[in-house]
Coordinates of all heavy atoms in Angstrom, one line a residue:
I671 N 84.2 -17.3 191.9 CA 83.4 -18.5 191.8 C 82.1 -18.2 191.1 O 81.4 -17.2 191.5 CB 83.1 -19.1 193.2 CG1 84.5 -19.5 193.8 CG2 82.2 -20.3 193.1 CD1 84.3 -20.0 195.3
R672 N 81.7 -18.9 190.2 CA 80.5 -18.7 189.4 C 79.3 -18.9 190.3 O 79.2 -19.9 191.1 CB 80.4 -19.7 188.2 CG 79.4 -19.4 187.2 CD 79.5 -20.3 186.0 NE 80.9 -20.2 185.4 CZ 81.5 -21.2 184.9 NH1 81.1 -22.4 184.9 NH2 82.7 -21.0 184.3
D673 N 78.3 -18.0 190.3 CA 77.1 -18.0 191.0 C 77.3 -18.0 192.6 O 76.4 -18.4 193.3 CB 76.3 -19.3 190.7 CG 75.2 -19.0 189.7 OD1 74.9 -17.8 189.5 OD2 74.6 -20.0 189.2
L674 N 78.4 -17.6 193.0 CA 78.7 -17.6 194.5 C 77.7 -16.8 195.2 O 77.2 -17.2 196.3 CB 80.1 -17.1 194.7 CG 80.5 -17.0 196.2 CD1 80.5 -18.3 196.9 CD2 81.9 -16.3 196.4
W675 N 77.4 -15.5 194.7 CA 76.5 -14.7 195.5 C 75.1 -15.2 195.6 O 74.4 -15.0 196.6 CB 76.5 -13.2 194.9 CG 77.9 -12.7 194.8 CD1 78.6 -12.3 193.6 CD2 78.9 -12.5 195.8 NE1 79.8 -12.0 193.9 CE2 80.1 -12.1 195.2 CE3 78.9 -12.8 197.2 CZ2 81.2 -11.8 196.0 CZ3 80.0 -12.5 197.9 CH2 81.2 -12.0 197.3
N676 N 74.7 -15.9 194.6 CA 73.4 -16.6 194.7 C 73.4 -17.7 195.7 O 72.4 -17.9 196.4 CB 72.9 -17.1 193.3 CG 72.6 -16.1 192.3 OD1 72.0 -15.1 192.7 ND2 73.0 -16.2 191.1
I677 N 74.5 -18.4 195.8 CA 74.6 -19.5 196.8 C 74.6 -18.9 198.2 O 74.0 -19.5 199.1 CB 75.9 -20.3 196.6 CG1 75.9 -21.0 195.2 CG2 76.2 -21.2 197.7 CD1 77.2 -21.6 194.9
L678 N 75.1 -17.7 198.4 CA 75.2 -17.1 199.7 C 74.1 -16.1 200.0 O 74.1 -15.4 201.0 CB 76.6 -16.3 199.8 CG 77.8 -17.1 199.5 CD1 79.1 -16.2 199.7 CD2 77.9 -18.3 200.4
E679 N 73.1 -16.1 199.1 CA 72.0 -15.1 199.3 C 71.3 -15.1 200.6 O 71.0 -14.1 201.2 CB 70.9 -15.4 198.2 CG 69.8 -14.5 198.2 CD 70.1 -13.1 197.7 OE1 71.1 -12.9 197.0 OE2 69.4 -12.1 198.1
Q680 N 71.2 -16.3 201.3 CA 70.4 -16.3 202.5 C 71.2 -15.7 203.7 O 70.6 -15.5 204.7 CB 70.1 -17.8 202.8 CG 71.2 -18.7 203.2 CD 70.8 -20.1 203.4 OE1 70.6 -20.9 202.5 NE2 70.7 -20.5 204.7
V681 N 72.5 -15.5 203.6 CA 73.2 -14.9 204.7 C 73.6 -13.4 204.3 O 74.4 -12.8 205.1 CB 74.5 -15.7 205.0 CG1 74.1 -17.1 205.5 CG2 75.5 -15.8 203.8
K682 N 73.1 -12.9 203.3 CA 73.4 -11.5 202.8 C 72.9 -10.5 203.8 O 71.7 -10.6 204.2 CB 72.9 -11.3 201.4 CG 73.2 -9.9 200.9 CD 72.8 -9.7 199.5 CE 71.3 -9.6 199.3 NZ 70.9 -9.3 197.9
Q683 N 73.7 -9.6 204.2 CA 73.3 -8.5 205.1 C 73.6 -7.2 204.3 O 74.5 -7.1 203.5 CB 74.1 -8.4 206.4 CG 74.0 -9.7 207.2 CD 74.9 -9.6 208.4 OE1 74.8 -8.7 209.2 NE2 75.7 -10.6 208.5
E684 N 72.8 -6.1 204.6 CA 73.0 -4.8 203.9 C 73.5 -3.9 204.9 O 73.0 -3.7 206.0 CB 71.7 -4.3 203.3 CG 71.9 -3.2 202.3 CD 70.6 -2.9 201.5 OE1 69.8 -2.1 202.1 OE2 70.5 -3.4 200.4
T685 N 74.6 -3.3 204.6 CA 75.3 -2.3 205.5 C 75.9 -1.2 204.7 O 75.5 -1.0 203.5 CB 76.4 -3.0 206.3 OG1 77.0 -2.1 207.2 CG2 77.5 -3.6 205.4
S686 N 76.7 -0.4 205.3 CA 77.3 0.8 204.6 C 78.8 0.9 205.0 O 79.3 0.3 205.9 CB 76.6 2.1 204.9 OG 76.8 2.4 206.3
L687 N 79.5 1.7 204.2 CA 80.9 1.9 204.5 C 81.2 2.4 205.9 O 82.2 2.1 206.6 CB 81.5 2.9 203.5 CG 82.0 2.4 202.2 CD1 82.5 3.5 201.3 CD2 83.1 1.3 202.4
A688 N 80.2 3.2 206.4 CA 80.3 3.8 207.8 C 80.5 2.7 208.8 O 81.2 3.0 209.9 CB 79.1 4.7 208.1
D689 N 80.0 1.5 208.6 CA 80.1 0.5 209.6 C 81.5 -0.1 209.7 O 81.8 -0.8 210.6 CB 79.1 -0.7 209.3 CG 77.6 -0.2 209.4 OD1 77.4 0.7 210.3 OD2 76.8 -0.7 208.7
F690 N 82.3 0.2 208.7 CA 83.7 -0.3 208.7 C 84.7 0.8 209.2 O 85.9 0.5 209.1 CB 84.1 -0.8 207.3 CG 83.3 -1.9 206.8 CD1 82.1 -1.7 206.0 CD2 83.7 -3.2 207.0 CE1 81.4 -2.8 205.6 CE2 83.0 -4.3 206.6 CZ 81.8 -4.1 205.9
R691 N 84.2 1.9 209.6 CA 85.0 3.0 210.0 C 85.9 2.5 211.2 O 85.5 1.9 212.2 CB 84.2 4.2 210.5 CG 84.9 5.5 210.7 CD 84.0 6.6 210.9 NE 83.3 7.0 209.7 CZ 82.0 7.1 209.6 NH1 81.2 6.8 210.6 NH2 81.4 7.4 208.4
G692 N 87.2 2.9 211.1 CA 88.1 2.5 212.1 C 88.7 1.1 212.0 O 89.4 0.6 212.9
K693 N 88.3 0.4 210.9 CA 88.8 -1.0 210.8 C 89.7 -1.1 209.6 O 89.8 -0.2 208.7 CB 87.6 -1.9 210.5 CG 86.6 -2.0 211.7 CD 85.5 -2.9 211.4 CE 84.5 -2.9 212.6 NZ 83.4 -3.8 212.3
K694 N 90.5 -2.2 209.5 CA 91.3 -2.5 208.4 C 90.5 -3.5 207.5 O 89.9 -4.4 208.0 CB 92.6 -3.2 208.9 CG 93.5 -2.3 209.7 CD 94.8 -3.0 210.1 CE 95.7 -2.0 210.9 NZ 95.1 -1.7 212.2
L695 N 90.6 -3.2 206.2 CA 89.8 -4.0 205.3 C 90.7 -4.5 204.2 O 91.4 -3.8 203.5 CB 88.7 -3.1 204.7 CG 87.6 -3.8 203.9 CD1 86.8 -4.7 204.8 CD2 86.7 -2.8 203.2
A696 N 90.7 -5.8 204.0 CA 91.5 -6.5 202.9 C 90.8 -6.2 201.6 O 89.6 -6.4 201.5 CB 91.6 -8.0 203.2
V697 N 91.6 -5.8 200.6 CA 91.1 -5.5 199.3 C 91.8 -6.4 198.3 O 93.1 -6.4 198.2 CB 91.4 -4.0 198.9 CG1 90.9 -3.8 197.5 CG2 90.7 -3.1 199.9
D698 N 91.0 -7.2 197.6 CA 91.6 -8.1 196.5 C 91.9 -7.2 195.3 O 91.0 -6.8 194.6 CB 90.5 -9.1 196.2 CG 91.0 -10.0 195.0 OD1 92.1 -9.8 194.5 OD2 90.2 -10.9 194.6
F699 N 93.1 -6.8 195.2 CA 93.5 -5.8 194.2 C 93.2 -6.3 192.8 O 92.8 -5.5 191.9 CB 94.9 -5.4 194.3 CG 95.3 -4.2 193.5 CD1 95.1 -2.9 194.0 CD2 95.8 -4.3 192.2 CE1 95.3 -1.8 193.2 CE2 96.0 -3.2 191.4 CZ 95.8 -1.9 191.9
S700 N 93.3 -7.5 192.5 CA 93.1 -8.0 191.2 C 91.6 -7.8 190.8 O 91.3 -7.5 189.6 CB 93.5 -9.5 191.1 OG 92.6 -10.3 191.9
S701 N 90.7 -8.0 191.8 CA 89.3 -7.8 191.5 C 89.0 -6.3 191.1 O 88.3 -6.0 190.2 CB 88.5 -8.2 192.7 OG 87.1 -7.9 192.5
W702 N 89.7 -5.4 191.9 CA 89.5 -4.0 191.6 C 90.0 -3.7 190.2 O 89.4 -3.0 189.4 CB 90.4 -3.2 192.6 CG 89.6 -2.8 193.8 CD1 88.5 -3.4 194.4 CD2 89.9 -1.7 194.7 NE1 88.1 -2.8 195.5 CE2 88.9 -1.7 195.7 CE3 90.8 -0.7 194.7 CZ2 88.9 -0.8 196.8 CZ3 90.8 0.2 195.7 CH2 89.9 0.2 196.7
F703 N 91.2 -4.2 189.9 CA 91.8 -3.9 188.6 C 91.0 -4.4 187.4 O 90.7 -3.7 186.5 CB 93.2 -4.6 188.5 CG 94.0 -4.2 187.3 CD1 94.7 -3.0 187.2 CD2 93.9 -5.0 186.1 CE1 95.4 -2.6 186.0 CE2 94.6 -4.6 185.0 CZ 95.3 -3.4 184.9
V704 N 90.4 -5.6 187.6 CA 89.6 -6.2 186.5 C 88.3 -5.3 186.3 O 87.9 -5.0 185.1 CB 89.2 -7.6 186.8 CG1 88.2 -8.1 185.8 CG2 90.5 -8.5 186.7
K705 N 87.7 -4.9 187.4 CA 86.5 -4.1 187.3 C 86.8 -2.7 186.7 O 86.0 -2.2 185.9 CB 85.8 -4.0 188.6 CG 85.2 -5.3 189.1 CD 84.6 -5.2 190.5 CE 83.9 -6.5 190.9 NZ 83.4 -6.4 192.3
C706 N 87.9 -2.1 187.2 CA 88.2 -0.8 186.7 C 88.8 -0.7 185.3 O 88.8 0.3 184.6 CB 89.2 -0.1 187.7 SG 88.5 0.2 189.3
E707 N 89.3 -1.9 184.9 CA 89.9 -2.0 183.6 C 88.8 -1.8 182.5 O 89.1 -1.5 181.3 CB 90.6 -3.3 183.4 CG 91.6 -3.4 182.2 CD 92.4 -4.7 182.2 OE1 91.8 -5.7 182.7 OE2 93.4 -4.7 181.6
A708 N 87.6 -2.1 182.9 CA 86.5 -2.0 181.9 C 86.0 -0.6 181.7 O 85.2 -0.3 180.9 CB 85.3 -2.8 182.4
T709 N 86.6 0.4 182.5 CA 86.2 1.8 182.4 C 87.2 2.5 181.5 O 88.4 2.0 181.4 CB 86.2 2.5 183.8 OG1 87.5 2.5 184.3 CG2 85.2 1.7 184.7
P710 N 86.9 3.7 181.0 CA 87.9 4.4 180.1 C 89.1 4.8 180.9 O 90.2 5.0 180.3 CB 87.1 5.6 179.6 CG 85.7 5.2 179.8 CD 85.6 4.3 181.0
Y711 N 89.0 5.0 182.2 CA 90.1 5.6 183.0 C 90.4 4.6 184.2 O 89.9 4.8 185.3 CB 89.8 7.0 183.5 CG 89.4 7.9 182.4 CD1 88.1 8.3 182.2 CD2 90.4 8.5 181.6 CE1 87.7 9.1 181.2 CE2 90.0 9.3 180.5 CZ 88.7 9.7 180.4 OH 88.3 10.5 179.3
T712 N 91.1 3.6 183.9 CA 91.4 2.5 184.9 C 92.0 3.1 186.2 O 91.5 2.8 187.3 CB 92.3 1.4 184.3 OG1 91.7 0.9 183.1 CG2 92.5 0.3 185.3
N713 N 93.1 3.8 186.0 CA 93.8 4.2 187.2 C 93.1 5.3 188.0 O 93.1 5.3 189.2 CB 95.2 4.8 186.8 CG 96.1 3.7 186.3 OD1 96.2 2.6 186.9 ND2 96.8 3.9 185.2
R714 N 92.3 6.1 187.3 CA 91.5 7.1 188.0 C 90.5 6.4 188.8 O 90.2 6.8 190.0 CB 90.9 8.1 187.0 CG 91.9 9.1 186.4 CD 91.3 9.9 185.3 NE 90.2 10.7 185.8 CZ 89.4 11.5 185.0 NH1 89.6 11.4 183.7 NH2 88.5 12.2 185.5
S715 N 89.8 5.4 188.3 CA 88.8 4.7 189.0 C 89.4 4.0 190.2 O 88.7 4.0 191.3 CB 88.2 3.6 188.1 OG 87.6 4.2 186.9
I716 N 90.6 3.4 190.1 CA 91.2 2.8 191.3 C 91.5 3.9 192.3 O 91.3 3.7 193.5 CB 92.5 2.1 190.9 CG1 92.1 0.8 190.0 CG2 93.3 1.6 192.1 CD1 93.3 0.1 189.4
F717 N 92.0 5.0 191.9 CA 92.3 6.1 192.8 C 91.1 6.6 193.6 O 91.2 6.7 194.8 CB 92.9 7.3 192.0 CG 93.1 8.5 192.8 CD1 94.1 8.7 193.6 CD2 92.2 9.6 192.6 CE1 94.3 9.8 194.4 CE2 92.3 10.8 193.4 CZ 93.4 10.9 194.2
Y718 N 90.0 6.7 192.9 CA 88.7 7.1 193.6 C 88.3 6.1 194.6 O 87.8 6.4 195.7 CB 87.6 7.4 192.6 CG 87.7 8.8 192.0 CD1 87.8 8.9 190.6 CD2 87.7 9.9 192.8 CE1 87.8 10.2 190.0 CE2 87.7 11.2 192.2 CZ 87.8 11.3 190.8 OH 87.8 12.6 190.3
R719 N 88.5 4.8 194.3 CA 88.1 3.8 195.3 C 89.0 3.9 196.5 O 88.5 3.7 197.7 CB 88.3 2.4 194.6 CG 87.2 2.0 193.6 CD 87.5 0.7 193.0 NE 86.3 0.3 192.2 CZ 85.7 -0.9 192.3 NH1 86.0 -1.8 193.2 NH2 84.7 -1.2 191.5
I720 N 90.2 4.2 196.4 CA 91.1 4.3 197.5 C 90.7 5.5 198.3 O 90.6 5.5 199.6 CB 92.6 4.5 197.0 CG1 93.1 3.2 196.3 CG2 93.5 4.8 198.2 CD1 94.4 3.3 195.7

Side-chain angles (χ1 to χ4, degrees):
I671 298 173
R672 193 174 299 147
D673 259 349
L674 176 63
W675 306 120
N676 289 322
I677 295 173
L678 305 181
E679 181 69 23
Q680 69 185 79
V681 297
K682 180 173 72 175
Q683 304 174 53
E684 197 168 85
T685 182
S686 65
L687 274 177
D689 293 328
F690 296 90
R691 191 173 290 127
K693 297 180 180 180
K694 295 181 177 69
L695 192 66
V697 176
D698 178 3
F699 191 85
S700 64
S701 176
W702 270 25
F703 184 85
V704 170
K705 288 178 181 178
C706 294
E707 197 176 24
T709 67
Y711 306 101
T712 303
N713 290 314
R714 288 172 63 185
S715 300
I716 293 174
F717 171 75
Y718 276 123
R719 284 178 174 234
I720 296 172

